[in-house]
């Protein structure tokens, strides 16, 4: 396979903030070695005399064992799987340790981003590709970038957390050997204890002081997966019981003595300021303590959130107008006019002679569209902050601790080092917790009420209005087929920029082409003799940001729908053609697996249809088959079959749940969801107008995980992109109707 053109040094070293995917770390030993000093191990600062820390992920005192989760838990299970990887190596059992989320620190830099930063296809393991990934890793190390996103948690932590646990285990054994005089080789560990040959057990917590007096055993090696006790086997997530019983405290649940509550009304014309306001009525309402002006809106501070929300609703505001078109029709017109040289992002990949290929055989052309959609997790944006003359503490669930620290400081008039960030359990994100609107306004409010803890909760409507949505995009694809095969494919996509948009919101603007806009477009693994993938970057539209699976959520729909159209034009079977064209053996196995799972034998007939799609995103290949029935009342989604190759499955139960959740998420948005603009603001301000898949509509979802990929891959996002094209292709098979625009409910009814 060919590779993409190179990216700039700036993209490697600076433009790394949101891309993800990747592989186990490689070369992280330097961080473990550096952790010997207090400056490089954040746990060393203020450590009690009888406590010990071996590295930035393990802390043991005489009373407890604490394991650090460097990645935020936004519902995907990272608050469980991270400590469990450490516990596996330390021979700890659930219940023997506490988990704490990491604060901002470069020791927690995300190695998993290196795969997406290297300008090579994920399946390319050539020396040149690996050299580029090594260069990207070095850039990440120097930047110290700490972030959760892009399905990078397992690729980032699979190696380093196991090494961290092994270092702790072997150092504790060495401390026990020195205390007892028993040879190190005769000691073993079990359930949080070092066990002597005679059966005597010494608890880790009783060895903390001894271990603190010796250097950590930095050459400790993690165990072979064949010896795992916990990992790779069905396990209960550490957070499940407390969530089911309602005991787990999310960010929105936090309370402090003397706390007041804030609600906001912000300019619906995203990014624009407040011109004037009238709060006469709000100031007289029950519980209201203060009304204050913000840069882009107003806030009401009251004795509870309900009082604050009701008060802020009554404030009359005059807003500065939007810089993008006020009406949705003009957004589409702007996008339609973006397929021009002056809007060229990049030609990401070229194979053969596309112009010559398009002249051969039968021509196929199609246009596809994907609208803005919102993130809308169940827990709305919120946070707690306390500003004093010394500094600021902020409690908020977020995926980018360092950026929270910097942005909160800037809006409170402080230096970043004066801000202490406490990450919280989060009730969903899907990209929403990579933005900062709640952080900005919370810092503004708390800085105006110094000495008083302030809790901010966005109303559901305000959360919808201020959400920075998924990119809007149009694809115009051309291709040709002849003699029962696809000859050429010329894929062109115009859209707003999700990755560059996030960088801009983080204060890291770039002029480089947006790489996520090309996701699902250029990384096509079919053997097509003449192939080209090009993006165009629309300007002056709504700001956009990363949304679960980012560019692949739209690019995958466009590309796999078009591939299906060309396969149909060539008179081929959709599954067999994909398998025969697939140029990567491990990816071909994914397609073969989903064909076997679904018992694919061709058309179903009698008003039933099935569609298939294959998309690689963030390095993870996923193939999905969707079965539907065209009933008199509308389309019923019956079954979904999913095959995924992640290289190594760490938690089989959570693996299945993540895949099923991604399928439901992708189906619901493909069927029902869009955000449209009127008078500069979004028209959909609650779930009844941005509707997820209903429980009665949910199909039976069968999942199979493969471990053929040579690298460890992520899972949170990759199940999303294939499901929309697979559903569209299934509807065509059942009805003969091609759907080329999301949401599909514009064209068919669903039951």
């Amino acid at each position: 396979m060919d590779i993409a053109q190179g990216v700039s040094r700036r993209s490697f070293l600076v433009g790394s903030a949101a891309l993800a995917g990747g592989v186990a770390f490689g070369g992280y030993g330097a961080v473990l070695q550096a952790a010997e000093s207090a400056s490089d191990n954040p746990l060393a600062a203020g450590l009690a005399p009888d406590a010990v820390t071996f590295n930035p992920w393990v802390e043991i005192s005489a009373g407890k064992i604490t394991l650090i989760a460097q990645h935020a838990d936004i519902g995907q299970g990272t608050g469980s799987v991270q400590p469990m990887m450490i516990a596996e190596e330390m021979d700890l059992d659930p219940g023997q340790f506490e988990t704490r989320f990491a604060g901002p620190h470069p020791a927690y830099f995300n190695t998993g981003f290196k795969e997406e930063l290297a300008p090579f296809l994920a399946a390319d393991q050539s020396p040149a590709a690996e050299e580029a990934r090594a260069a990207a890793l070095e850039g990440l190390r120097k930047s110290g970038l700490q972030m959760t996103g892009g399905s990078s948690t397992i690729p980032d932590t699979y190696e380093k957390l196991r090494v961290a646990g092994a270092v702790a285990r072997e150092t504790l054994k060495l401390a026990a050997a020195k205390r007892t005089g028993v040879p190190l080789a005769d000691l073993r560990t079990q359930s949080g204890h070092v066990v002597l040959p005679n059966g005597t057990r010494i608890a880790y917590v009783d060895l903390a002081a001894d271990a603190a007096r010796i250097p950590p055993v930095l050459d400790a090696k993690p165990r072979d997966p064949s010896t795992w006790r916990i990992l790779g086997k069905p396990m209960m997530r550490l957070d499940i019981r407390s969530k089911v019983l309602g005991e787990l405290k999310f960010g929105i649940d936090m309370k402090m003595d003397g706390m007041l509550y804030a609600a906001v009304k912000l300019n619906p014309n995203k990014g624009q300021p407040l011109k004037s306001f009238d709060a006469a009525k709000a100031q007289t309402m029950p519980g209201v303590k203060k009304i204050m002006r913000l840069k882009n809106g107003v806030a009401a501070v009251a004795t509870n959130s309900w009082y604050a929300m009701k008060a802020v609703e009554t404030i009359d505001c005059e807003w500065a107008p939007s810089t993008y078109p006020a009406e949705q029709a003009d957004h589409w017109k702007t996008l339609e006019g973006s397929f021009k040289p002056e809007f060229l992002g990049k030609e990401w990949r070229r194979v053969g002679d596309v112009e010559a290929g398009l002249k051969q055989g039968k021509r196929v052309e199609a246009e596809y569209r994907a609208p803005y959609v919102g993130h809308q997790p169940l827990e709305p944006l919120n946070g707690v902050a306390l500003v004093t003359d010394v500094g600021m503490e902020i409690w908020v669930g977020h995926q980018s601790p360092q950026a929270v620290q910097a942005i909160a400081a800037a809006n409170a008039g402080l230096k970043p080092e004066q801000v202490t960030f406490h990450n919280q359990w989060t009730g969903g994100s899907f990209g929403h917790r990579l933005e900062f609107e709640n952080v900005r306004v919370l810092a503004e409010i708390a800085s105006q009420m110094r000495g008083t803890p302030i809790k901010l909760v966005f109303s559901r409507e305000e959360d919808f209005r201020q959400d920075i949505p998924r990119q809007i995009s149009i694809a115009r694809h051309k291709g040709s087929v002849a003699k029962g095969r696809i000859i050429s494919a010329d894929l062109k996509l115009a859209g707003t920029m999700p990755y560059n948009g996030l960088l801009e919101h983080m204060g890291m603007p770039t002029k480089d082409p947006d790489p996520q806009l090309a996701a699902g477009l250029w990384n096509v693994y079919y053997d097509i003799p003449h192939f080209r993938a090009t993006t165009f970057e629309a300007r002056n539209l709504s700001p956009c940001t990363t949304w679960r699976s980012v560019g692949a959520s739209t690019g995958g729909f466009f590309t796999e729908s078009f591939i299906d159209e060309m396969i149909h034009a060539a008179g081929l079977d959709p599954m067999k053609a994909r398998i025969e064209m697939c140029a990567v053996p491990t990816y071909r196995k994914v397609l073969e697996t989903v064909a076997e799972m679904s018992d694919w034998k061709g058309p179903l007939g009698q008003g039933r249809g099935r569609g298939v799609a294959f998309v690689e995103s963030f390095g993870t290949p996923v193939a999905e088959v969707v079965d539907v029935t065209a009933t008199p009342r509308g389309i019923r989604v019956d079954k979904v079959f999913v095959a995924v190759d992640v290289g190594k499955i760490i938690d089989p139960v959570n693996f299945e749940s993540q895949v099923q959740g991604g399928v439901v998420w992708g189906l619901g948005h493909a069927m029902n969801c869009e955000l449209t603009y009127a008078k500069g603001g979004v028209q959909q301000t609650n779930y009844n107008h941005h509707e997820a898949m209903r429980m009665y509509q949910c199909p039976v979802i069968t999942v199979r995980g493969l471990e053929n990929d040579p690298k460890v891959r992520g899972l949170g996002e990759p199940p999303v992109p294939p499901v929309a094209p697979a559903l569209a292709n299934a509807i065509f098979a059942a009805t003969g109707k091609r759907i080329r625009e999301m949401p599909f409910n514009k064209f068919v009814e669903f039951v």
Side-chain angles (χ1 to χ4, degrees):
M1 303 292 289
D2 67 311
I3 62 170
Q5 300 173 16
V7 298
S8 71
R9 178 175 176 81
R10 175 181 173 84
S11 290
F12 270 101
L13 301 183
V14 180
S16 56
L19 288 179
V23 66
F25 78 5
Y28 208 85
V31 171
L32 291 174
Q33 293 173 9
E36 292 183 81
S37 67
S39 61
D40 291 316
N41 182 355
L43 305 184
L47 198 66
D50 60 347
V52 62
T53 175
F54 311 99
N55 48 62
W57 300 277
V58 180
E59 179 182 318
I60 303 178
S61 67
K64 65 180 179 180
I65 299 171
T66 303
L67 306 182
I68 306 302
Q70 72 176 70
H71 287 276
D73 194 300
I74 48 180
Q76 81 281 43
T78 63
S80 178
V81 72
Q82 289 176 100
M84 290 305 285
M85 285 193 283
I86 304 172
E88 175 70 63
E89 292 295 334
M90 287 184 66
D91 283 324
L92 290 169
D93 299 328
Q96 292 186 316
F97 56 87
E98 296 181 3
T99 302
R100 185 172 74 238
F101 292 113
H105 198 279
Y108 301 115
F109 80 87
N110 190 332
T111 65
F113 288 160
K114 71 176 185 180
E115 293 287 316
E116 289 284 320
L117 288 174
F120 290 80
L121 292 168
D124 188 343
Q125 306 299 319
S126 66
E130 292 302 288
E131 184 178 343
R133 291 172 186 131
L137 178 61
E138 179 62 13
L140 289 163
R141 186 187 68 80
K142 290 180 178 178
S143 72
L145 178 70
Q146 177 186 1
M147 180 179 285
T148 302
S151 301
S152 65
T153 294
I154 297 299
D156 174 41
T157 59
Y158 173 72
E159 185 77 14
K160 64 188 178 190
L161 292 186
R162 292 166 58 233
V163 170
V167 168
R169 179 191 71 233
E170 294 305 312
T171 308
L172 289 162
K173 286 169 62 181
L174 181 60
K178 289 182 178 294
R179 176 193 288 188
T180 64
V182 176
L184 182 64
D186 293 338
L187 300 176
R188 61 187 178 89
T189 54
Q190 182 182 35
S191 298
H193 294 75
V194 176
V195 184
L196 278 58
N198 64 4
T200 300
R201 297 160 61 89
I202 308 175
Y204 291 166
V205 292
D206 294 335
L207 286 166
D210 297 72
R213 291 191 290 268
I214 61 175
V217 182
L218 296 176
D219 61 352
K221 300 292 190 295
R223 292 165 172 163
D224 187 273
S226 64
T227 68
W228 283 350
R229 303 172 301 114
I230 305 170
L231 303 183
K233 298 174 174 59
M235 69 175 89
M236 180 183 288
R237 271 173 43 174
L238 299 175
D239 56 332
I240 289 298
R241 183 184 184 279
S242 58
K243 285 182 174 178
V244 170
L245 296 178
E247 297 171 348
L248 186 71
K249 301 302 181 185
F250 292 89
I252 200 170
D253 299 317
M254 186 176 176
K255 295 181 180 180
M256 295 177 66
D257 291 340
M259 187 167 72
L260 292 177
Y261 299 78
V264 295
K265 177 184 281 190
L266 306 177
N267 193 334
N269 303 307
K270 294 183 175 69
Q272 297 308 297
L274 169 73
K275 295 177 71 174
S276 64
F277 71 98
D278 180 357
K281 182 177 180 180
Q283 289 171 335
T284 65
M285 293 181 68
V288 173
K289 295 293 186 180
K290 188 171 184 178
I291 302 295
M292 63 180 70
R293 180 175 187 140
L294 306 173
K295 294 174 184 174
N296 65 328
V298 292
V301 179
T303 54
N304 63 45
S305 289
W306 179 252
Y307 284 158
M309 288 180 186
K310 297 307 291 183
V312 84
E313 286 176 4
T314 69
I315 301 176
D316 292 326
C317 297
E318 183 183 4
W319 306 115
S322 66
T323 57
Y324 49 80
E327 304 301 322
Q328 184 61 38
D330 293 321
H331 287 245
W332 288 114
K333 288 180 182 178
T334 299
L335 202 54
E336 291 166 359
S338 297
F339 290 89
K340 298 176 181 177
E342 57 264 37
F343 300 107
L344 176 67
K346 185 175 178 179
E347 182 181 283
W348 294 90
R349 186 164 156 226
R350 178 197 288 261
V351 179
D353 186 337
V354 175
E355 281 73 19
L358 289 172
K359 296 176 182 177
Q360 301 177 38
K362 180 180 179 181
R363 186 79 164 258
V364 181
E365 296 187 24
E367 179 178 286
Y368 305 88
R369 297 188 175 210
Y372 298 114
V373 292
H375 299 87
Q376 307 319 324
L378 287 177
E379 182 190 16
L381 292 179
N382 62 81
V384 174
L386 173 62
V387 176
T388 67
D389 293 337
V390 176
M392 176 182 184
E393 285 190 84
I394 182 169
W395 294 261
V396 63
H398 207 278
Q399 297 170 241
S400 185
Q402 294 153 321
V404 168
Q405 193 177 36
I407 289 171
N411 285 273
L414 301 169
K415 297 178 180 178
E417 57 268 26
Q418 292 178 277
V419 176
T420 301
F421 167 63
H422 306 278
N423 216 342
Q424 304 296 296
W425 288 92
T426 301
S429 173
F430 316 110
H432 204 27
R433 260 75 184 192
L434 278 168
E435 287 295 327
F436 305 95
E437 197 56 45
N438 58 324
V439 175
R440 290 189 178 94
V441 297
L442 178 56
E444 281 191 73
I445 297 166
S447 66
Q448 295 185 50
M449 299 194 71
R450 297 197 169 203
T452 300
I454 299 296
K455 180 174 184 175
L456 169 68
V457 179
F458 276 42
S459 69
R460 182 65 64 193
E461 290 74 18
E462 197 65 31
D463 193 275
F464 263 82
R465 292 188 193 101
Q466 298 306 318
D467 187 22
I468 309 298
R470 182 187 73 179
Q471 70 278 358
I472 186 174
S473 50
I474 294 176
R476 291 175 177 170
H477 292 348
K478 299 178 182 179
S480 62
V481 299
K483 298 180 180 179
R485 67 171 299 188
I486 297 175
I487 301 298
S488 65
D490 189 15
L491 311 181
K492 295 181 179 180
L493 182 154
T496 50
M497 294 171 282
Y499 168 62
N500 289 0
L502 178 60
L503 289 184
E504 183 176 351
H505 307 156
M506 294 178 67
M508 300 167 59
T510 176
K511 294 183 180 179
D512 291 332
D514 192 308
Q516 272 299 318
L517 200 56
L521 190 78
W522 79 285
N523 51 329
V524 173
Y525 295 91
Y526 301 127
D527 183 12
I528 300 174
H530 309 286
F531 180 91
R532 179 168 58 198
T534 309
T535 58
F536 297 85
E537 299 177 346
R539 309 287 175 176
N540 302 317
L541 291 176
S542 170
C544 291
T545 191
T546 54
W547 184 90
R548 190 176 185 180
S549 74
V550 200
S553 68
T554 52
F557 166 58
F558 300 155
T559 301
E560 275 296 288
S561 295
F562 186 62
I563 291 292
D564 211 70
E565 294 206 41
M566 290 199 291
I567 287 172
H568 180 75
L572 303 173
D573 178 84
M575 180 68 78
K576 292 180 181 178
R578 283 176 169 84
I579 292 172
E580 291 174 0
M581 290 191 300
C582 188
V584 180
T586 54
Y587 291 5
R588 189 181 311 120
K589 183 63 177 176
V590 175
L591 280 161
E592 291 171 346
T593 299
V594 84
E596 181 268 323
M597 292 169 63
S598 61
D599 192 26
W600 186 287
K601 294 178 181 178
L604 296 176
Q606 298 181 331
R608 300 172 62 215
R610 59 179 15 175
V612 59
F614 173 85
V615 181
E616 173 267 304
S617 61
F618 301 104
T620 301
V622 183
E624 301 184 10
V625 169
V626 174
D627 286 0
V628 303
T629 300
T631 75
R633 295 187 299 116
I635 298 294
R636 183 182 70 231
V637 184
D638 299 316
K639 299 177 182 179
V640 178
F641 302 90
V642 191
V644 187
D645 192 340
V646 292
K648 180 64 68 177
I649 298 173
I650 306 301
D651 179 350
V653 176
N654 198 47
F655 177 95
E656 182 179 40
S657 297
Q658 283 295 296
V659 174
Q660 291 174 334
V663 168
V664 172
W665 172 264
L667 284 173
H669 283 82
M671 291 163 54
N672 302 322
C673 296
E674 68 175 332
L675 295 180
T676 57
Y677 284 80
K679 299 180 180 179
V682 295
Q683 294 176 287
Q684 296 76 17
T685 59
N686 215 315
Y687 289 116
N688 59 321
H689 294 130
H690 197 266
E691 189 172 319
M693 171 172 269
R694 297 286 184 169
M695 289 186 70
Y696 71 84
Q697 296 176 309
C698 188
V700 176
I701 304 171
T702 305
V703 179
R704 187 175 300 176
L706 305 179
E707 298 182 310
N708 298 319
D709 197 292
K711 296 184 177 180
V712 177
R713 305 291 187 177
L715 185 66
E717 300 175 89
V720 175
V723 74
L727 175 59
N729 296 338
I731 293 171
F732 171 75
T735 67
K737 178 184 293 187
R738 281 285 180 192
I739 299 180
R740 301 187 177 98
E741 180 177 349
M742 295 190 280
F744 298 167
N745 64 7
K746 291 182 176 181
F747 310 99
V748 296
E749 295 286 335
F750 289 94
V751 297

